[in-house]
Amino acid sequence: MTQIKTKNSERSKSEAKAEAILRAGMQEFLKHGYAATSMDKIAKAARVSKATIYSHFGDKEGLFNAVIQDLVKDKFQTVIGLQTPQSLAKDPKIVLSEIASRMLDNTQRDRTFQDFIRIIIGESGRFPEIAQAYVRNLSKPGIETLTQYFKAHPKLKLEDPEATVRVMIGTLVYFLMLQEMLHGKDILPFENERLVNTLTDLITQHQQ
Amino acid sequence: MTQIKTKNSERSKSEAKAEAILRAGMQEFLKHGYAATSMDKIAKAARVSKATIYSHFGDKEGLFNAVIQDLVKDKFQTVIGLQTPQSLAKDPKIVLSEIASRMLDNTQRDRTFQDFIRIIIGESGRFPEIAQAYVRNLSKPGIETLTQYFKAHPKLKLEDPEATVRVMIGTLVYFLMLQEMLHGKDILPFENERLVNTLTDLITQHQQ
DNA sequence: GTCTATACATCGATAGAC
DNA sequence: GTCTATCGATGTATAGAC
């Protein structure tokens, strides 16, 4: 009984350390990338010793994988949460505009998410399994959800719904990448609304 | 006279070393990223001593900047070269299909270019000036050239040519990123032709 | 200008005490 | 389970000979 208590107590403390390590690792990896992040800095930020990190996550790659998988899970909840069952009665022009504008605004405000995308792409050569986890858990559900909406909507009359979804998402992602992540907005300024209007016009012009 | 000769001769040898360093640095940085690349490996690959690298490029960041600027210049020539003055008589549906298909095919074959994009994005947080050089010398001319074509073409009747260009390029870049660089083609297979057809249909459906 | 040799810091990872 | 202390390798950068 006391032994169990002790064990549970110790496990709790151990899990608390593991969580602190994950949080610290997230912070450091997102800011500096994989190679430029040291285990010493993570240990310091998490207020644990390096040996504790190694006992929990094996090695640096193990921790990195755990951190990224954690982030992917977290963002997956966001994507799933955004599956607001869109009313099929509403004008799709308005629905699409709202979805696009919200995606643009949210990403522009969320620097952490930009860092996350940066590291997924930047490390996709050396960590292909991480890139694929991203595709499987974020890109795929996102594309499939929007495709379902496109298919279900009678007014849109799209010949190839999934291809159209790829046009829409691609337009938005590229815009965010160029303007925000690559700091292009000072060189090639462009208003969200102009892009959103043109995009929704192109997709909905066949209507009725 | 002999002194000048000697000087020229030495300068030539020096420039040859500098070029070898640039080539080796390009190879290593593209393959392993900035932080994971060591000056020792570059020196070995270039068959020079580390001291020679430092005397030419100052420090690691200096070499990295030189390497990337070199690549940007090189790709700039490619972008400029692709400005085939498209015949305005040709059916824009065909012209756009050709441009899109060629961009997809060329990038899918060119792994070095994919590595280049990966490093531009991956290091855009720590090297914003490199990202901006990319935008200024590659993205901007690309968008402007295609926008000129869209504006000049009477049949297209586009309300916002530049926004439409961003839709087109965004669609293609995102597709390449998801399928090739993030290794998504095994998870979400999709044919080039389907994307190109949908994209050109969307852009040209207002025709005449 | 280019080399060899080396200074000095920091890296990932582990041994051993508790 | 967690710590301190440390190992060996490797990193950037430079001094000094030629």
Side-chain angles (χ1 to χ4, degrees), chain A residues 31-77:
Chain A
K31 184 161 284 177
H32 305 107
Y34 176 77
T37 295
S38 72
M39 299 296 264
D40 282 280
K41 281 183 187 165
I42 295 173
K44 203 166 193 174
R47 297 165 177 273
V48 299
S49 72
K50 263 197 294 182
T52 301
I53 301 180
Y54 281 94
S55 81
H56 276 272
F57 299 97
D59 59 8
K60 190 183 178 183
E61 283 199 17
L63 176 58
F64 183 61
N65 273 289
V67 164
I68 300 293
Q69 302 293 351
D70 221 47
L71 275 166
V72 169
K73 293 269 183 210
D74 192 66
K75 300 297 175 185
F76 175 74
Q77 298 302 329

Side-chain angles (χ1 to χ4, degrees), chain B residues 164-195:
Chain B
T164 309
V165 165
R166 286 178 182 257
V167 170
M168 175 165 166
I169 297 183
T171 299
L172 299 173
V173 170
Y174 173 76
F175 186 74
L176 290 165
M177 208 155 265
L178 195 61
Q179 307 299 112
E180 309 297 325
M181 295 173 53
L182 295 181
H183 316 100
K185 59 182 166 188
D186 306 320
I187 300 166
L188 282 168
F190 206 85
E191 289 196 1
N192 287 3
E193 207 188 341
R194 247 179 95 185
L195 189 79

Side-chain angles (χ1 to χ4, degrees), chain A residues 31-33 35-36 118 120-122 124-126 128 131-132 134-136 139-140 143 160 162-164 166-167 169-171 173-175 177-179 181-184 186-188 190 194-195 198 202 205-206, chain B residues 31-33 35-36 118 120-122 124-126 128 131-132 134-136 139-140 143 160 162-164 166-167 169-171 173-175 177-179 181-184 186-188 190 194-195 198 202 205-206:
Chain A
K31 184 161 284 177
H32 305 107
R118 234 192 293 262
I120 293 289
I121 296 173
S124 59
R126 288 170 291 279
Q132 293 205 330
Y134 171 82
V135 172
R136 210 184 306 276
S139 307
K140 190 162 183 272
I143 289 175
D160 191 335
E162 186 182 337
T164 309
R166 286 178 183 258
V167 171
I169 298 183
T171 299
V173 170
Y174 173 75
F175 185 75
M177 207 156 265
L178 196 60
Q179 306 299 112
M181 295 173 54
L182 295 181
H183 316 100
D186 306 320
I187 300 167
L188 281 169
F190 205 86
R194 246 180 96 185
L195 188 79
T198 297
L202 283 175
Q205 65 195 333
H206 258 324
Chain B
K31 183 161 285 177
H32 306 107
R118 233 192 294 262
I120 293 289
I121 296 173
S124 59
R126 289 170 290 278
Q132 293 205 330
Y134 172 82
V135 173
R136 210 183 307 276
S139 306
K140 190 162 182 273
I143 289 175
D160 191 334
E162 186 182 337
T164 309
R166 286 178 182 257
V167 170
I169 297 183
T171 299
V173 170
Y174 173 76
F175 186 74
M177 208 155 265
L178 195 61
Q179 307 299 112
M181 295 173 53
L182 295 181
H183 316 100
D186 306 320
I187 300 166
L188 282 168
F190 206 85
R194 247 179 95 185
L195 189 79
T198 298
L202 283 175
Q205 64 196 335
H206 259 324

Side-chain angles (χ1 to χ4, degrees), chain B residues 22-41:
Chain B
L22 278 174
R23 275 204 311 275
M26 196 170 299
Q27 190 188 73
E28 298 297 318
F29 281 132
L30 285 181
K31 183 161 285 177
H32 306 107
Y34 176 76
T37 294
S38 72
M39 298 296 263
D40 281 280
K41 281 184 188 166

